[in-house]
Amino acid sequence: MAIPKIGIEILSGSGPGILHATTGVIARHNGNITSVEIIEGREAGTDHVYFEIESTGDPTPMLEELRQLPMIRHAVKVDTMEKIYGKRIIIVGGGAQVGQVALGAILEADRHNIRGEHISIDTIPLVGEQPLAAAVRAAGRLPRVKAIVMAGSLMGGEIENAVREVRAQGLLVVSLNMAGSVPDAADLVVTDPVQAGVMTVMAVADTATFKVDRLKRRVF
């Protein structure tokens, strides 16, 4: 059974040692940190720190101890990003293709989100082998990403290598039916960009019965 996660948002003074102090408190209360993000605060000299923690106990004592740290100005329990934004789909490639894939993905995500899902769609139009390969690899480091859509007209070389790497990490990769070697490396190849967006959402949604591994063919 999955251990429940909680979100902890901290506003602190900016400076060295903040993570050391706060993670020590979390460890003393048997919290397992699964994600951490530090964002520069709107006020000069402040930082926002957001933790996602696996915890089975009452977080109140941990929050109270965090608030007693001299550099902490604010510490509260919040909903996790997974609960708010849910699964993420990243669409990368050429601007026109990215827009059409996003159209299908957003429309389909809306249908599932109304039924209780949480699926968010991210896009980044890019050109060039190295920027695209870097974007694919970075998707594997982003939290909550379940699938990436390769939306272009020609992709290969280092981009193909990056696709194979993130697939090995467990990401679903959907590709438009394009020139180059990326379609050969993808899990699923779809010719129509709108349909590619729809099928990608269906593949990651718990409220859908569509599963890529059940398909008898992988090119549509």
Side-chain angles (χ1 to χ4, degrees):
M1 186 175 64
I3 300 175
K5 289 184 181 180
I6 61 171
I8 300 291
E9 183 183 61
I10 292 171
L11 177 64
S12 71
S14 183
I18 295 170
L19 276 182
H20 175 75
T22 53
T23 56
V25 171
I26 294 168
R28 284 195 292 275
H29 290 269
N30 298 315
N32 180 36
I33 299 170
T34 59
S35 177
V36 60
E37 186 172 3
I38 302 175
I39 306 167
E40 186 177 359
R42 293 184 179 90
E43 299 178 11
T46 64
D47 286 328
H48 272 102
V49 185
Y50 169 72
F51 291 101
E52 288 196 357
I53 303 165
E54 290 180 340
S55 176
T56 57
D58 180 5
T60 303
M62 176 171 58
L63 287 167
E64 290 177 351
E65 187 173 346
L66 285 169
R67 291 170 187 143
Q68 291 171 8
L69 295 174
M71 75 286 288
I72 300 302
R73 305 179 185 182
H74 174 80
V76 293
K77 177 186 173 184
V78 295
D79 287 335
T80 65
M81 293 298 182
E82 185 172 355
K83 182 175 181 180
I84 298 170
Y85 286 103
K87 307 177 183 77
R88 297 173 73 183
I89 294 172
I90 312 291
I91 307 169
V92 300
Q97 292 95 330
V98 165
Q100 289 300 298
V101 174
L103 175 64
I106 292 169
L107 289 171
E108 184 68 12
D110 182 64
R111 187 170 72 90
H112 291 281
N113 289 347
I114 287 172
R115 295 157 62 191
E117 268 283 6
H118 293 275
I119 299 173
S120 54
I121 312 298
D122 294 331
T123 65
I124 180 165
L126 291 170
V127 294
E129 180 180 349
Q130 295 305 320
L132 280 164
V136 172
R137 290 189 172 102
R141 301 192 296 269
L142 290 172
R144 301 179 291 103
V145 175
K146 303 300 180 183
I148 183 168
V149 185
M150 308 305 297
S153 55
L154 171 63
M155 293 186 188
E158 192 60 26
I159 306 170
E160 177 197 351
N161 295 335
V163 166
R164 295 189 185 278
E165 289 173 19
V166 296
R167 281 188 65 200
Q169 297 170 21
L171 282 188
L172 170 70
V173 179
V174 177
S175 172
L176 295 187
N177 198 353
M178 68 178 90
S181 57
V182 161
D184 295 332
D187 293 286
L188 182 65
V189 180
V190 184
T191 301
D192 180 75
V194 175
Q195 184 182 0
V198 171
M199 293 179 74
T200 305
V201 171
M202 290 175 63
V204 304
D206 293 333
T207 49
T209 57
F210 174 76
K211 302 296 179 185
V212 171
D213 56 7
R214 294 180 183 175
L215 296 174
K216 294 182 179 179
R217 60 190 178 102
R218 55 178 294 276
V219 179
F220 292 86

